[in-house]
Structure formats: C-alpha cells, structure tokens
C-alpha cells in the first residue's frame, strides 16, 4: 500500500489561555517533515459541540445534532490521529472527552498517538485516553511525546515562556518513535479496512 495515511492532529483544549497551540504546531512540524503522512490540524474550538445528549451513540442510531454530525464527518475522513493532550486533574479535558463521545464508528479500527503536557507530561491523562480509546476500538501507539517536569516549566508561558525548541532535543526521539508507530498502524489498519469493504 503506497497511499499516505491522512492524519488529524486534534487540539484537545478549547480554553482561551491554552498552551496547546505551541505543542500542536511543534508536532505538526515534525509530522509534516517526514513525508510519509498527510497531516491536518483539527481544532476543537472550530466545533460548537453540545454536551453529549443523544439517544445513544452513533454506533446504534444517527446523531441528531448537526454539529455532532459535522464533527463525525470531519474525523471520519482520517486514517489516524495525533491528540494534543492537556492534563486536568489526572485526566483529559472535558472538551476532548465530549468530542470522543460524539462519535463512535468514525474512530473504529484507527490508530492514534499523542503529545501531552503538564507537570507529569500528561502521563495520567494519556493513560485515561488509552482506556477510552479501547472502547472506541482504536489502536494506541506505545510511544507518545510527554512535555513534563522542568521541561514543561521552561516553556510554559506563566513560568519560563521559552520556545519549545529549547527542549526539543529531549522530545525528538519520542516524537520519531510515536510517529513511526502511528504510520505503521495506520497502514496496517487501512489495509485491513480495505479488505473488509
């Protein structure tokens, strides 16, 4: 299979003062430089998703919310995902959880990786994301990028406010591994989905 996977880089925070844009742009740069995937930035701010209030998941019945349907159509176009994950109280943001809940079949049998940030590098949030993704029939990469500890405070605007490039030497190896795994799983699942069609 020679088709390059289509990957959505999803910004999982919608706060006005979010830090997410900086790691998102850094990860976008790493992914597009490779040439083995087509990456598109998908910002949750661009979707006015209501809190999930459907009769059931769209695995069982079509969604009634036009914005939820627009979200499903958007993410359904992709073969895999990179989530930009902030850790809030040991989990993912409410906005990201709601976005995950607004779709089901569009996520199925597709891989994802993540770049997480926070005091612990969003390690706990990514583990929670992986648990949610199992129910959505997604495939997680083993590797992810974690911006944590003193590195996080060097680049976080309220503390050090340095450019991400000042800490990227420690991030590049995990970014390469995570993206390598994402492309491998994307190709594998694309081929399997084609056989099922």
């Amino acid at each position: 299979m020679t088709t390059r996977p289509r990957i959505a880089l999803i910004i999982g925070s919608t706060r006005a003062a979010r830090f997410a844009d900086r790691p998102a742009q850094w990860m976008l740069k790493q992914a597009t430089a490779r040439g083995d995937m087509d990456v598109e930035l998908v910002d949750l701010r661009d979707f006015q998703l209501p809190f999930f209030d459907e009769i059931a998941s769209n695995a069982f019945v079509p969604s009634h919310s036009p914005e939820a349907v627009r979200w499903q159509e958007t993410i359904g176009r992709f073969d895999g995902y990179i989530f930009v994950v902030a850790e809030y109280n040991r989990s993912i943001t409410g906005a990201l959880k709601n976005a995950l809940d607004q779709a089901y079949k569009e996520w199925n049998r597709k891989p994802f990786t993540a770049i997480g940030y926070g005091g612990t590098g969003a390690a706990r949030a990514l583990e929670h994301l992986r648990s949610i993704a199992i129910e959505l029939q997604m495939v997680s990469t083993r590797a992810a990028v974690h911006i944590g500890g003193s590195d996080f405070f060097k680049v976080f605007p309220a503390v050090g406010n340095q450019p991400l490039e000042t800490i990227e030497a420690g991030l590049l190896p995990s970014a390469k591994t995570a993206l390598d795994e994402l492309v491998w799983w994307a190709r594998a699942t694309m081929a399997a989905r084609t056989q099922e069609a």
Side-chain angles (χ1 to χ4, degrees):
M1 177 173 286
T2 57
T3 304
R4 294 194 305 190
R6 295 158 301 167
I7 304 297
L9 196 157
I10 299 175
I11 301 179
S13 173
T14 57
R15 289 173 50 229
R18 72 184 182 189
F19 174 68
D21 296 295
R22 290 169 67 183
Q25 289 301 321
W26 184 86
M27 196 65 167
L28 182 64
K29 178 181 172 185
Q30 307 314 309
T32 55
R34 296 168 56 97
D36 57 358
M37 64 181 97
D38 294 323
V39 187
E40 181 180 327
L41 195 64
V42 176
D43 193 338
L44 290 185
R45 282 183 180 167
D46 296 333
F47 297 85
Q48 301 304 310
L49 289 169
F51 284 119
F52 182 75
D53 192 28
E54 300 288 343
I55 296 168
S57 159
N58 76 331
F60 305 106
V61 294
S63 297
H64 291 290
S65 164
E67 198 65 355
V69 171
R70 184 170 80 89
W71 170 247
Q72 293 160 6
E73 290 170 350
T74 299
I75 63 167
R77 295 193 322 253
F78 296 99
D79 304 305
Y81 309 93
I82 303 166
F83 292 103
V84 181
V85 179
E87 182 165 319
Y88 292 0
N89 300 318
R90 298 179 179 238
S91 188
I92 61 176
T93 66
L96 180 54
K97 177 62 167 76
N98 187 53
L100 290 163
D101 291 344
Q102 295 284 358
Y104 183 79
K105 55 189 176 184
E106 294 78 11
W107 301 117
N108 289 177
R109 299 184 174 121
K110 295 179 184 177
F112 74 94
T113 194
I115 179 168
Y117 59 90
T120 64
R124 298 168 298 196
L126 290 189
E127 285 308 306
H128 191 191
L129 176 61
R130 287 178 172 124
S131 294
I132 296 164
I134 290 168
E135 187 60 29
L136 297 172
Q137 299 185 51
M138 298 179 79
V139 181
S140 174
T141 61
R142 180 183 180 277
V145 181
H146 298 273
I147 304 172
S150 60
D151 278 349
F152 173 66
F153 291 107
K154 283 178 190 171
V155 297
F156 189 61
V159 186
N161 202 27
Q162 296 178 33
L164 225 60
E165 287 71 22
T166 61
I167 62 164
E168 77 174 358
L171 304 178
L172 287 169
S174 58
K176 181 186 182 312
T177 303
L179 294 172
D180 285 348
E181 292 175 7
L182 180 65
V183 169
W184 191 95
W185 280 111
R187 288 177 177 154
T189 55
M190 287 165 68
R193 289 195 314 274
T194 300
Q195 283 185 332
E196 285 184 348

